[in-house]
Amino acid sequence: MSASDSPAFADPAGTWNRRFAADGYLFGTAPNAWLAGHAAVWQTGQRVLCVADGEGRNSVWLARRGLRVDAFDISDVGVTKARRLAVEQGVAVNFTVSDCDTYAWSPGAYDGVAAIFVQFADPALRTRMFAKIVGCLKPGGTLVLQGYTPKQLEYRTGGPPHVSHLYTEAMLREAFAELDVVELREYEAELAEGSGHCGRSALIGLVARRR
Ligand SMILES: C[S@@+](CC[C@H](N)C(=O)[O-])C[C@H]1O[C@@H](n2cnc3c(N)ncnc32)[C@H](O)[C@@H]1O
């Protein structure tokens, strides 16, 4: 079966709207640990874009740290919950409902991009999305990215069931050749990010800076 044969990939907005329609937050309300561990690369008042931010756990947490945050996601149900989370936590985030390809990316506008578990993208979409991510960073701006490696297919504790969507160090190094790699690491950890990412996980984290 190819990635596009799967209903989850044929109708991403419908699929994610159904997943986010349940009570609670599928990935919790705490930030992703790789992001939280590396967010010190950004200073108060700097501008950060959260790609495919889902129910808002990462964008809201970054806004609480004093960053100016834009965020988008294809799921209007997810963005509605993200807006609610921002209100509850007393912060402003500029949310947009949009898919990756039609989002109004602002070239050279951001001090940072957070791309946390954006592995909905097949190789063609990933190439377009990564180019937009690089292009929207200012010189000196920093990308913080988290994903799963192919070993995650053995754990099945989160992420897409397609090896072509998963990342290796070599692949990320090549994909972000225009950036200087600050840290790139494959590792394993127990995730407890809601019910969506839960249990032993084969992860990869990247921090990389635009020249
Ligand atoms: C695994 S979730 C991660 C959400 C969030 N980044 C987090 O870490 O909590 C993947 C997200 O990608 C969004 N998504 C899927 N396809 C998309 C697309 N083509 N454009 C934008 N967002 C998309 C989904 O709605 C979902 O919120």
Side-chain angles (χ1 to χ4, degrees):
M1 187 173 83
S2 76
S4 58
D5 293 333
S6 157
F9 295 94
D11 176 22
T15 298
W16 282 98
N17 275 339
R18 283 187 289 280
R19 289 177 181 162
F20 290 147
D23 285 344
Y25 286 78
L26 183 60
F27 304 110
T29 55
N32 166 258
W34 179 263
L35 176 67
H38 295 85
V41 295
W42 303 309
Q43 313 306 314
T44 302
Q46 287 192 320
R47 239 185 125 187
V48 174
L49 174 66
C50 284
V51 175
D53 182 53
E55 296 166 302
R57 64 186 178 126
N58 295 315
S59 59
V60 168
W61 182 80
L62 290 169
R64 290 185 66 186
R65 290 179 55 87
L67 294 159
R68 292 181 294 144
V69 185
D70 293 339
F72 72 90
D73 196 278
I74 200 170
S75 165
D76 59 294
V77 174
V79 171
T80 297
K81 290 170 84 174
R83 288 194 169 111
R84 192 190 315 149
L85 187 65
V87 169
E88 282 168 6
Q89 301 209 4
V91 292
V93 173
N94 178 32
F95 291 111
T96 304
V97 177
S98 177
D99 76 72
C100 237
D101 276 332
T102 56
Y103 182 65
W105 298 81
S106 301
Y110 293 97
D111 302 289
V113 173
I116 306 301
F117 294 119
V118 294
Q119 292 176 306
F120 54 82
D122 64 17
L125 175 56
R126 183 171 68 225
T127 299
R128 297 194 297 276
M129 176 172 67
F130 282 4
K132 298 283 192 184
I133 286 174
V134 171
C136 80
L137 284 168
K138 294 177 185 170
T142 305
L143 166 66
V144 176
L145 174 144
Q146 166 100 99
Y148 291 111
T149 67
K151 184 143 197 275
Q152 178 64 11
L153 296 178
E154 295 169 27
Y155 292 128
R156 295 188 167 274
T157 51
H162 303 298
V163 71
S164 61
H165 291 231
L166 304 177
Y167 306 155
T168 63
E169 282 190 16
M171 187 263 264
L172 289 182
R173 228 174 251 289
E174 189 183 336
F176 291 109
E178 287 176 63
L179 305 182
D180 289 329
V181 171
V182 177
E183 189 173 348
L184 175 58
R185 191 152 57 88
E186 288 189 25
Y187 62 102
E188 297 198 7
E190 296 289 328
L191 288 192
E193 303 185 337
S195 60
H197 293 156
C198 190
R200 191 80 190 156
S201 304
L203 299 163
I204 187 164
L206 172 70
V207 178
R209 188 165 296 132
R210 188 166 181 186
R211 293 180 195 115

